[in-house]
Amino acid sequence: FEDGTPVRFWGTNVAAYALFVAKDEDIERQAKRLAAFGFNLVRIHHHDSAWVEPNVFGPRGRSTRTLDDAALERIDRWVAALQAQGIYVWLDLHVGRVFQPGDGIDPFRELDGGKPQGFNYVNPQVEEAMQRFAQQYLDRTNRYTKRRYLDDPGVLAVLVTNENDISHH
């Protein structure tokens, strides 16, 4: 840490459906359980994946340009519960987002089923959409911790893009 105290992280993921369907008491219970197992880092993963419904964009629609408040509330709840147990959080910005025709990506047909992997390096519209999401996602205030994600000392890391290369590895 900043004061020179050494730290080691033992982490895991909370992903996909678990982020959005858990009841408040289950989130609290799982956060306590993760802490009891010795975890001090949790990655919030597959929050944007098209195969997860709902996801941060809400029910499947014509666009991924708008974030769903109900889904964000669930993520806020997880982050607050984890931090209350002394667990740091790793936030992903892009994992499985699939652009929709209403996102205004031109030419949309170039994307493999709307998947932007690799195209954010060469398509300015994809780059702009990903930057806009990052701003929307990180510049908001967690309704439970009352901290903006950008300012939250409990957010240890932010992954810009996951498994994103031209050949999709």
Side-chain angles (χ1 to χ4, degrees), residues 76 138-149:
D76 289 350
L138 297 175
D139 197 32
R140 61 190 189 78
T141 299
N142 180 312
R143 62 199 85 203
Y144 301 107
T145 66
K146 307 296 186 212
R147 292 186 297 264
R148 283 185 338 143
Y149 281 100

Side-chain angles (χ1 to χ4, degrees), residues 105-119:
I105 307 298
D106 184 42
F108 181 79
R109 70 182 182 284
E110 181 179 24
L111 301 176
D112 176 25
K115 298 175 192 166
Q117 277 77 4
F119 288 100

Side-chain angles (χ1 to χ4, degrees), residues 24-156:
D24 291 353
E25 56 272 14
D26 294 332
I27 292 171
E28 302 293 328
R29 197 167 36 250
Q30 290 299 327
K32 288 177 182 175
R33 186 174 192 208
L34 290 167
F37 282 140
F39 290 105
N40 62 354
L41 176 63
V42 168
R43 178 184 185 195
I44 304 297
H45 191 46
H46 282 293
H47 64 293
D48 65 340
S49 293
W51 54 268
V52 178
E53 192 168 339
N55 60 33
V56 291
F57 306 113
R60 265 197 201 104
R62 295 196 32 78
S63 172
T64 62
R65 293 280 185 159
T66 304
L67 302 184
D68 183 73
D69 190 60
L72 295 175
E73 185 277 331
R74 296 286 75 200
I75 289 174
D76 289 350
R77 176 73 70 179
W78 272 105
V79 169
L82 292 164
Q83 289 180 352
Q85 297 302 316
I87 298 173
Y88 287 88
V89 175
W90 163 322
L91 296 174
D92 288 346
L93 294 180
H94 170 249
V95 180
R97 181 181 186 179
V98 173
F99 287 107
Q100 303 299 314
D103 287 323
I105 307 298
D106 184 42
F108 181 79
R109 70 182 182 284
E110 181 179 24
L111 301 176
D112 176 25
K115 298 175 192 166
Q117 277 77 4
F119 288 100
N120 62 307
Y121 303 112
V122 297
N123 185 318
Q125 291 171 319
V126 172
E127 178 185 357
E128 183 276 328
M130 291 176 77
Q131 288 175 348
R132 183 171 181 249
F133 172 81
Q135 183 176 15
Q136 287 176 305
Y137 194 61
L138 297 175
D139 197 32
R140 61 190 189 78
T141 299
N142 180 312
R143 62 199 85 203
Y144 301 107
T145 66
K146 307 296 186 212
R147 292 186 297 264
R148 283 185 338 143
Y149 281 100
L150 287 170
D151 303 324
D152 192 332
V155 175
L156 176 81

